[in-house]
Amino acid sequence: MRKRIFTLAAGVAALSLGLTACGSDSGTTSAQEGGGGASAPAKPGKIGVILPDSKSSARWETADRKYLTEAFQAAGVEFDIQNAQGDKNQFQTIADQMITNGATVLMITNLDSGTGKAVLDKAKSQGVATIDYDRLTLGGSASYYVSFDNTKVGQLQGEGLVKCLTDKKVEKPIIARLNGSPTDNNATLFKQGYDGVLKPKFDSGEYVEGPDQWVPDWDNAQAATIFEQMLTQQPKIAGVLAANDGLGNAVITILKKQNLNGKVPVTGQDATVQGLQNILAGDQCMTVYKAIKKEADAAARLAIALAKGEQPAVSQSVHDPEGNRDVPAVLEEPQAIFFENVKDVVADGFVTKEELCTDEFADKCKEAGIE
Ligand code: BGC
């Protein structure tokens, strides 16, 4: 009898030691294991992440997924990252499954505020902590918001377009605007940013206000159709504010058909390989680089703390006008990228020289100082 008790106790001690090691903060433990045991800190809960799609921007799969995965693995927490592929029903199904499978933290990039809110409210009612990642869910209930200063992103786009038009010495340019998805609060903030730069120029007569349209779901194919119609109706468009690199590329494909690429400056956002190559080729005026590693790291830090049952403090907040509340936030700084500083994006490790400087762009890369 004695012996049996001893064996059992030793077994429990060993188990508890093993789990303690697993749950350590050293970051050297296996990716999918959490810690636990009597003397160990409580086992962190699972973290679920839902990304929006893989078409509106390359970033979600090539950058966000990668950096979030790296951060969670380094911390040794259990996580599941899924992509809703633009499907709002699927988005809700994934959220339900994650909660059923034991997620205690849910991080979402919504497809629209309505479905985002439903997901957040349901999670909250089941005691699951929530984070809005990149896009704020208007009227939502997320405990935290992690993103960039999105009005600043738009401001950089507006100022970038002005710089390119000034360099080209275009007089009284007619400006077209292709805004992002009308259901993405970021698209609204980007527009506030660039309209803040462009409106005074329209008002003073320095620039001429041309067509201005939203692109549903940031859909690149629709953007091409929309811009083709804009150009048919107003062939003298001399500058295009496109809200991201995908929309910018759609515009460039249409401009190419008329041999207008390179003559009409086009903006972008996300510093995608395609966007940067368009800049190197001289077809795109600028993009906005958002260091997604910083955004993902900040979000992962919060998620991991929440998974451990902590209530992490952050120093910023954003106002949700629909829910009329201030949401604790972490906002990173965006950077404008022109031909001259494409190299900064490579130096930061966001894109590699190999991806960017394919044979076709080798000379331009050299010219841009990418070694
Ligand atoms: C993001 C952009 C992205 C766009 C389309 C926005 O909410 O902030 O980086 O290009 O969605 O996916």
Side-chain angles (χ1 to χ4, degrees), residues 43 45-48 78-80 82 93-105 126 128:
K43 182 179 193 267
K46 284 190 204 169
I47 299 167
E78 237 185 303
F79 65 96
D80 180 15
Q82 293 196 43
T93 306
I94 295 171
D96 289 343
Q97 280 166 356
M98 284 176 167
I99 296 172
T100 306
N101 292 337
T104 60
V105 181
Q126 302 191 27
V128 173

Side-chain angles (χ1 to χ4, degrees), residues 38-245:
S39 59
K43 182 179 193 267
K46 284 190 204 169
I47 299 167
V49 180
I50 314 178
L51 299 173
D53 66 71
S54 48
K55 286 193 187 149
S56 66
S57 173
R59 63 168 285 181
W60 306 114
E61 285 302 320
T62 63
D64 298 273
R65 180 187 288 275
K66 178 177 84 182
Y67 294 129
L68 288 169
T69 299
E70 284 170 6
F72 292 142
Q73 284 182 342
V77 292
E78 237 185 303
F79 65 96
D80 180 15
I81 303 176
Q82 293 196 43
N83 191 314
Q85 303 298 356
D87 182 333
K88 287 163 201 156
N89 290 326
Q90 185 61 11
F91 198 101
Q92 284 171 306
T93 306
I94 295 171
D96 289 343
Q97 280 166 356
M98 284 176 167
I99 296 172
T100 306
N101 292 337
T104 60
V105 181
L106 189 63
M107 186 157 123
I108 67 162
T109 304
N110 73 51
L111 286 167
D112 66 15
S113 283
T115 51
K117 177 178 164 51
V119 163
L120 293 170
D121 288 353
K122 193 165 178 183
K124 196 179 180 188
S125 75
Q126 302 191 27
V128 173
T130 50
I131 300 173
D132 265 334
Y133 181 67
D134 201 71
R135 298 176 181 166
L136 181 68
T137 302
L138 295 176
S141 55
S143 304
Y144 295 92
Y145 174 53
V146 180
S147 192
F148 284 81
D149 179 340
N150 291 308
T151 315
K152 180 77 184 290
V153 170
Q155 185 191 329
L156 294 177
Q157 292 173 315
E159 290 168 355
L161 186 62
V162 169
K163 176 184 178 312
C164 296
L165 288 164
T166 310
D167 288 353
K168 285 198 177 328
K169 301 194 170 53
V170 190
E171 295 268 313
K172 292 206 178 227
I174 299 175
I175 309 296
R177 277 165 288 175
L178 263 87
N179 312 305
S181 173
T183 62
D184 178 353
N185 182 57
N186 284 347
T188 307
L189 298 175
F190 302 148
K191 186 166 172 58
Q192 277 168 16
Y194 51 74
D195 281 356
V197 176
L198 297 174
K199 281 250 164 76
K201 296 199 178 282
F202 296 147
D203 292 346
S204 71
E206 197 185 335
Y207 286 9
V208 180
E209 188 167 3
D212 178 16
Q213 278 191 49
W214 298 88
V215 180
D217 301 326
W218 294 91
D219 185 308
N220 293 189
Q222 281 193 62
T225 310
I226 291 171
F227 184 69
E228 192 149 38
Q229 282 163 3
M230 286 180 171
L231 197 59
T232 309
Q233 279 160 21
Q234 181 48 271
K236 291 198 175 133
I237 288 171
V240 185
L241 194 310
N244 79 356
D245 284 354

Side-chain angles (χ1 to χ4, degrees), residues 282-335:
D283 293 339
Q284 186 171 324
C285 140
M286 61 88 66
T287 186
V288 177
Y289 171 49
K290 302 192 294 190
I292 292 170
K293 185 178 182 339
K294 284 193 193 159
E295 183 184 24
D297 281 349
R301 243 193 333 268
L302 290 179
I304 292 162
L306 289 169
K308 289 179 179 163
E310 298 164 11
Q311 287 188 324
V314 295
S315 55
Q316 291 160 290
S317 70
V318 295
H319 187 70
D320 169 1
E322 214 161 295
N324 195 23
R325 66 173 189 130
D326 291 324
V327 188
V330 178
L331 301 177
E332 305 292 343
E333 278 300 303
Q335 184 192 351

